Amino acid sequence: MNDFDFSIYKKINYGCGYEKLAGYLNVDVDAACQPDFLIPPSGDLTAFPKHQFSEVYAKDVLEHIPRAKSLEALLEFASLLDNGGKLVVQTTSITEVAKKLADNPSFAAQYGWTICLFGNQAHAGDFHFTAFTDVSLTVYVAAAGFEVINKQLADEWILRFECRKIEGWDDLLNNSMSDQAFLASAYEQLFSRPIDYIGQIHFGGRLNAGATRRDVLRDIASSPERLYVTAAKLGL
């Protein structure tokens, strides 16, 4: 796949499964669904060119990614998109499933809605690691550099957000500066505060040990503090 021609595509259907879309690069971790491009189980997108695509479509994907990696996944989607690029995410609403559970006391209904929340768990890729609320998904996409341009509730329990990329978390990578200045700029941009001693030692140590600036910056950008800072800016 090293010679795969990404340049002929402008849109990505990430986690396509068997629902392939015409005009999209259909990618998945499951070889059985015969995607256009097979990505490793980790979801690593290193092979993909950055800032090239106009849309990333991720239907029923985020719930299959471990909760601690949710923001990291959105950051990686953002890095694929050009400025103004579109992100479509569809995922499980905790709030709406909870309403269905509360309103339907029969075992059959509660059993079915529990499956919706946690997945069928029939095979390795069919587990749900997380779910969202309208508020939490709003904060997550904003923390990754997106603004929400449209939101819908599909089938009464699925959140569908259409977002536009308005800032690039990885823009700092284009800047030539010392490691110390790089980390200080990252903290100011992502946390709106000066870098502290612990951050200097931890992330500075990683850079000195050979970690790439991109990996370090992504780890900073995907930290819980980034979510709390973003939520405060949104008044949430």
Side-chain angles (χ1 to χ4, degrees):
M1 284 295 192
N2 289 336
D3 58 352
F4 188 87
D5 186 5
F6 290 99
S7 66
I8 62 175
Y9 297 96
K10 293 300 292 181
K11 299 179 180 181
I12 297 176
N13 178 16
Y14 185 90
C16 63
Y18 292 93
E19 188 179 343
K20 299 184 181 69
L21 300 178
Y24 287 73
L25 173 59
N26 297 285
V27 307
D28 205 283
V29 299
D30 185 2
C33 67
Q34 298 183 320
D36 301 322
F37 189 92
L38 183 67
I39 53 179
S42 64
D44 180 41
L45 298 175
T46 302
F48 286 66
K50 303 301 183 282
H51 310 138
Q52 173 176 304
F53 301 93
S54 62
E55 181 181 335
V56 172
Y57 180 78
K59 178 183 177 183
D60 304 334
V61 168
L62 289 180
E63 63 269 25
H64 295 280
I65 297 171
R67 179 195 56 77
K69 297 289 186 180
S70 297
L71 181 51
E72 181 178 317
L74 290 166
L75 291 166
E76 292 293 356
F77 293 160
S79 73
L80 299 176
L81 291 166
D82 200 357
N83 290 334
K86 180 179 180 181
L87 171 68
V88 179
V89 288
Q90 179 172 301
T91 191
T92 308
S93 168
I94 301 173
T95 309
E96 299 306 321
V97 171
K99 289 179 182 177
K100 297 297 184 184
L101 287 166
D103 293 342
N104 295 275
S106 74
F107 170 78
Q110 302 239 334
Y111 182 78
W113 286 112
T114 300
I115 291 175
C116 289
L117 189 59
F118 295 107
N120 286 302
Q121 304 185 7
H123 53 81
D126 200 21
F127 285 73
H128 293 181
F129 290 97
T130 190
F132 295 83
T133 67
D134 182 277
V135 168
S136 67
L137 189 55
T138 296
V139 172
Y140 269 82
V141 296
F146 295 97
E147 66 174 351
V148 179
I149 56 177
N150 187 38
K151 61 174 69 174
Q152 297 175 334
L153 185 65
D155 298 328
E156 300 184 341
W157 64 280
I158 298 172
L159 295 169
R160 180 185 172 90
F161 278 28
E162 294 184 16
C163 313
R164 178 170 50 236
K165 179 181 173 181
I166 57 174
E167 62 181 0
W169 64 273
D170 51 358
D171 289 346
L172 272 176
L173 298 175
N174 301 324
N175 223 314
S176 68
M177 58 179 79
S178 68
D179 284 349
Q180 185 176 1
F182 168 73
L183 292 175
S185 296
Y187 267 63
E188 288 291 352
Q189 177 177 307
L190 297 168
F191 301 153
S192 300
R193 69 171 177 85
I195 189 170
D196 52 46
Y197 177 74
I198 294 175
Q200 288 177 333
I201 295 300
H202 175 69
F203 292 113
R206 285 188 57 193
L207 289 172
N208 289 334
T212 68
R213 284 192 175 188
R214 189 179 196 282
D215 285 346
V216 168
L217 184 60
R218 185 188 58 213
D219 288 350
I220 296 172
S222 61
S223 72
E225 182 175 353
R226 172 65 174 166
L227 292 170
Y228 282 107
V229 168
T230 302
K233 288 181 178 179
L234 295 174
L236 298 173

